[in-house]
Amino acid sequence: MYTVAAQPFAFTFPAETVALIVIDMQRDFIEPGGFGETLGNDVALLEAIVPTTAALIGLFREQGWPVIHTRENHAPDLSDCPPAKRERGNPALRIGDEGAMGRILIRGEPGADIIAALYPVEGEYVVDKPGKGAFYATPLTGILKDLGTTHLMFAGVTTEVCVQTTMREANDRGFQNLLIEDATESYFPAFKQATLEMIRAQGAIVGWTAPFSALKDAVSRGDA
């Protein structure tokens, strides 16, 4: 067992049944010229977490712990994209439109793929999801069951949307959740801060939060 100095109190996890879920670190959200920037967002905020997220993934790889990557995307015919999602608001580009990196958030297009710095290696899982949460209409539940997972750690974007949604889904399914604070980000810093506080409120009602350094310290100390 490892014990992480977390909020609102220590997070303890067994090495044998932990997994990391890295949410939607995709080119369309992270890189200049992608969908996120066309919506008027400052993607530099999201780019800033790439080094820490890479170090987090590296730690899991060193330990031989499972890593699961997610990608929000849709079928080329948009059969899994509700009109209410595609038609909402007044963006310059919509899901399925041709963008600088191919069709926006379409499975198989360059922009919908994971950024090179965090790209999955052989043996890691990649879950394509049509919604915000990674459990909806995906094989994630079966993957975690096969792995025997009980504890999850989270990274990725955006904190208040896809990360929080997936953590809440995981919480409802009985998983113990830790969000790595400096490996997640929002286009709106105030939204990230509010989400961290919501997640750990009322005795970790959704889960725990901690900086990556606290996890590294726990692992370097060995069994607790």
Side-chain angles (χ1 to χ4, degrees):
M1 300 289 287
Y2 296 91
T3 300
V4 181
Q7 294 190 62
F9 49 86
F11 178 83
T12 301
F13 70 95
E16 299 81 8
T17 58
V18 69
L20 171 65
I21 300 182
V22 184
I23 304 287
D24 298 359
M25 294 296 287
Q26 297 163 247
R27 297 184 64 198
D28 258 331
F29 297 138
I30 307 294
E31 294 184 1
F35 186 45
E37 190 171 72
T38 71
L39 295 174
N41 298 306
D42 179 5
V43 296
L45 293 167
L46 273 54
E47 286 182 300
I49 68 164
V50 171
T52 301
T53 306
L56 172 61
I57 293 171
L59 175 64
F60 268 72
R61 288 172 178 168
E62 290 168 6
Q63 298 297 319
W65 299 338
V67 178
I68 300 165
H69 305 260
T70 76
R71 300 182 295 203
E72 183 180 352
N73 56 39
H74 296 279
D77 64 359
L78 298 177
S79 57
D80 57 359
C81 181
K85 180 179 183 180
R86 185 175 190 274
E87 296 169 5
R88 187 175 300 127
N90 188 32
L93 292 172
R94 297 184 185 275
I95 294 170
D97 289 349
E98 193 69 32
M101 293 180 254
R103 295 180 66 201
I104 298 291
L105 296 187
I106 296 299
R107 203 164 301 135
E109 296 285 338
D113 209 356
I114 295 165
I115 63 173
L118 305 179
Y119 210 77
V121 299
E122 185 177 355
E124 294 180 347
Y125 300 86
V126 179
V127 174
D128 291 312
K129 60 186 184 70
K132 305 305 182 190
F135 287 87
Y136 168 69
T138 76
L140 181 57
T141 297
I143 290 170
L144 295 176
K145 181 178 180 180
D146 290 345
L147 291 171
T149 305
T150 60
H151 291 62
L152 292 170
M153 295 190 195
F154 288 87
V157 299
T158 60
T159 313
E160 76 279 8
V161 184
C162 295
V163 175
Q164 178 178 209
T165 300
T166 303
M167 287 190 72
R168 289 180 179 274
E169 289 180 328
N171 180 69
D172 285 345
R173 288 161 174 79
F175 294 98
Q176 304 271 40
N177 303 319
L178 174 66
L179 177 58
I180 303 302
E181 297 167 355
D182 43 350
T184 185
E185 193 51 85
S186 170
Y187 297 121
F188 307 96
F191 291 1
K192 173 183 174 178
Q193 185 58 39
T195 302
L196 294 177
E197 293 172 9
M198 286 189 285
I199 285 168
R200 64 197 182 211
Q202 301 180 75
I205 193 168
V206 175
W208 288 252
T209 76
F212 177 56
S213 60
L215 174 61
K216 284 199 302 181
D217 288 346
V219 173
S220 66
R221 288 196 308 271
D223 292 343

